[in-house]
Amino acid sequence: MGVIIFNGIPSTNYGIHVETPPVYATPERDYEVVHIPGRNGDLVIDNGSYKNVTRKYTISVGEIDGNFTTLAAGVSEWLHSASGYARLEDSYESDYFRLAYYVADAEMENLFHQAGKMSIEFNCKPARFLKAGERAVSFTTAGSLRNPTFQKSFPKLTVVVSGSGTLTVGDQTITISGLTNSTRMVIDSELQDVYEEGSLTNLNSKVSFSDGFPLLSPGVNTITFTGSITSVEVIPRWWIL
């Protein structure tokens, strides 16, 4: 029996059985196609991103108390437990998770008022995140991280720094200055934000980037630091399509 975990809540809490594995949907690349009169062929403009995909499941319920109304209410409560995107996992791709929201247009079939059956859909961001990419890797001296995917990832860096220093991630350099106390500075490439861990104090004015927020390219990424930086912690956020 398959299990879905949405917004941290497993489907088994509501007596839900996943009847069939979901079909894998390939994300559509975000292209613009322009035809120029008098020119053979179309001009393709790649916007460098992918569109959302749908993940569908067929589920049945009936093992909690055999009352259709109670079962249907429980499933609805589970599906509407999040506002906007939430974490979506299932036992069919146990090494990955997605960010998804529930597409609320499903109807549950009433089976003799004792059980129910329905198809549910989640609208998912195109990325499948590796759970291995959630594990923090700490550096107290220079080192490297190997990105095992073909996609550039958007890491979360926690830098312990007491004054000024330079952090290099791959070929990208981050210059930190103007700090007077030891600070755990978070540089979040996904959120495009810099802040103090715990207090969320904005620290964007304390950093400058050679080429935008750091990314981890496919393959080996060297990590070095100088000055008053004493350690760097990296949550790499590896992802695939």
Side-chain angles (χ1 to χ4, degrees), residues 114-171:
Q114 294 182 342
K117 182 177 181 179
M118 66 189 297
S119 294
I120 58 174
E121 297 184 10
F122 294 93
N123 194 301
C124 307
K125 290 189 176 184
R128 289 185 293 161
F129 293 95
L130 281 66
K131 292 181 181 179
E134 296 182 287
R135 291 195 287 267
V137 182
S138 297
F139 298 88
T140 54
T141 60
S144 64
L145 268 177
R146 182 182 178 276
N147 183 345
T149 78
F150 293 105
Q151 306 294 337
K152 291 183 177 181
S153 73
F154 300 80
K156 178 182 177 181
L157 311 175
T158 302
V159 184
V160 179
V161 55
S162 57
S164 60
T166 300
L167 168 65
T168 302
V169 179
D171 58 358

Side-chain angles (χ1 to χ4, degrees), residues 28-57:
E28 178 185 352
R29 198 170 183 93
D30 185 9
Y31 286 122
E32 292 181 44
V33 179
V34 179
H35 180 71
I36 301 175
R39 179 175 174 177
N40 291 329
D42 294 328
L43 177 64
V44 178
I45 302 172
D46 185 354
N47 292 318
S49 60
Y50 297 87
K51 298 181 180 180
N52 277 15
V53 297
T54 299
R55 194 151 177 85
K56 304 178 183 179
Y57 304 87

Side-chain angles (χ1 to χ4, degrees), residues 22 28 44 105 116 145 149 173-174 190 199 206 209 217 232 240:
E28 178 185 352
V44 178
D105 61 354
L145 268 177
T149 78
T173 300
I174 305 162
E190 176 68 28
S199 71
K206 306 298 184 181
F209 301 98
S217 299
V232 178
I240 63 173

